[in-house]
Amino acid sequence: MDIQLDTSLDDFHTPSRIQGQRLELDALHLLHRFGWLRAREVGILLYSSSNQSRTLAERLLRRLVEKRQIFFRPLQGENDSKHARAYLLGQAGADRLWEVRGIDAWTSKDITISSTWLHDLIAHQILAKWKNKGFQIVTGRELHRRTRSGMKIPDGLAKPPGQDWIWLEVERSRKSGPAIHKQAKYLAGAALGMEWLGYQLGRAVVAYPETPGVNHRLRNISALSKLSAPSPFKVIFFPLKIHPLTLVVQFGQAEEITIEP
């Protein structure tokens, strides 16, 4: 007599199930690293080779929301649409990261999506773009965890293969004189190869969207030129445009400026 075995439980260990679990953990880890992300940026980071990256990410994030491992909040001033929904790490997701991967994560329920969210979103997209090029990245959120209150930190760090770290500054609002002077000192230090928190820096990048009434490029060049640096140095400027509906950053032509102190 033939005996038919019930093999339904075998599906638990199928490659597709294991792959799905890995992607869930990767998504949880990304939210821990960045603080919050939209589905579009999660898609760029996890499904970069697919032309349906955002759709795949939305499906993945929906599953994690249903499991109560993450939650979402609308970005301030935007309708609760798929383009303006920030996903954050919940306590159950943080617990899962610790139990499965040994990552000491914690819930993001204390994070306030402030009025500076567009500034943060620009930094997220730049870092995601660089990561997909094979760069190592450190997010602003990760750096905040390592520094004391009031300490100047970049909006992110990135390391191209075989090169030193890049200091990233996103300029969207008009800084005061003292604030832009302080930023200029760190940009110059990065360009001149200073070490910061154990990171050997080698380049500085200023990324700036078009802002009515503010010329971020000229203001930063002016502040950099007033420094008493030991030698000339170069800073890279990236003009940006932001799509008004999808909030996707479009990158302009990079410009490397030599600063003569």
Side-chain angles (χ1 to χ4, degrees):
M1 180 176 64
D2 292 334
I3 299 175
Q4 300 296 324
L5 297 177
D6 182 2
T7 60
S8 59
L9 292 179
D10 292 346
D11 289 341
F12 184 79
H13 295 294
T14 59
S16 60
R17 178 65 66 91
I18 294 172
Q19 172 75 352
Q21 292 175 348
R22 183 185 66 78
L23 285 168
E24 287 184 2
L25 288 163
D26 288 346
L28 294 173
H29 193 193
L30 286 174
L31 296 184
H32 171 61
R33 294 190 66 191
F34 282 85
W36 64 268
L37 287 170
R38 299 185 308 164
R40 178 178 287 275
E41 284 68 57
V42 173
I44 290 171
L45 288 160
L46 293 185
Y47 303 100
S48 59
S49 61
S50 172
N51 57 9
Q52 295 183 314
S53 60
R54 192 191 71 205
T55 300
L56 292 170
E58 287 172 348
R59 189 180 305 160
L60 173 65
L61 293 167
R62 191 181 311 120
R63 194 160 68 238
L64 289 169
V65 169
E66 290 171 354
K67 293 180 178 181
R68 299 182 181 275
Q69 294 179 8
I70 66 172
F71 60 99
F72 62 84
R73 291 174 179 161
L75 297 172
Q76 283 190 8
E78 299 291 323
N79 295 325
D80 183 18
S81 71
K82 59 188 176 183
H83 299 301
R85 184 176 286 184
Y87 290 88
L88 301 94
L89 186 64
Q91 186 60 56
D95 292 343
R96 184 180 178 189
L97 279 176
W98 172 251
E99 292 166 3
V100 180
R101 290 192 174 175
I103 297 171
D104 188 13
W106 51 88
T107 179
S108 299
K109 286 186 177 179
D110 62 331
I111 292 181
T112 300
I113 308 297
S114 68
S115 58
T116 64
W117 63 264
L118 186 52
H119 170 280
D120 300 335
L121 179 60
I122 293 169
H124 293 173
Q125 291 191 38
I126 294 172
L127 291 173
K129 181 182 180 70
W130 282 345
K131 190 173 189 303
N132 280 346
K133 287 187 173 183
F135 293 17
Q136 296 179 53
I137 64 166
V138 184
T139 70
R141 178 73 172 171
E142 290 174 309
L143 294 171
H144 271 292
R145 296 185 185 122
R146 295 187 54 192
T147 55
R148 63 182 182 274
S149 178
M151 184 175 177
K152 172 61 181 171
I153 68 169
D155 294 307
L157 297 174
K159 186 180 187 302
Q163 299 182 38
D164 292 331
W165 288 87
I166 300 169
W167 178 289
L168 170 66
E169 287 288 349
V170 174
E171 286 285 81
R172 187 173 171 270
S173 60
R174 185 184 183 92
K175 285 185 170 65
S176 67
I180 199 167
H181 176 71
K182 182 177 182 180
Q183 175 173 287
K185 289 196 297 183
Y186 278 88
L187 288 169
L192 289 167
M194 75 174 180
E195 185 175 312
W196 182 80
L197 288 184
Y199 297 101
Q200 181 58 55
L201 301 169
R203 281 191 284 176
V205 169
V206 178
Y208 59 97
E210 296 176 350
T211 305
V214 184
N215 190 321
H216 295 299
R217 176 183 175 278
L218 289 182
R219 292 194 80 234
N220 275 272
I221 291 174
S222 175
L224 289 163
S225 299
K226 293 175 182 176
L227 297 175
S228 299
S231 61
F233 57 92
K234 296 179 180 181
V235 175
I236 299 169
F237 287 84
F238 256 121
L240 308 171
K241 290 186 178 181
I242 304 171
H243 192 284
L245 176 61
T246 62
L247 305 177
V248 172
V249 171
Q250 299 171 329
F251 297 84
Q253 182 65 42
E255 180 185 20
E256 189 173 57
I257 301 293
T258 299
I259 306 297
E260 301 280 354

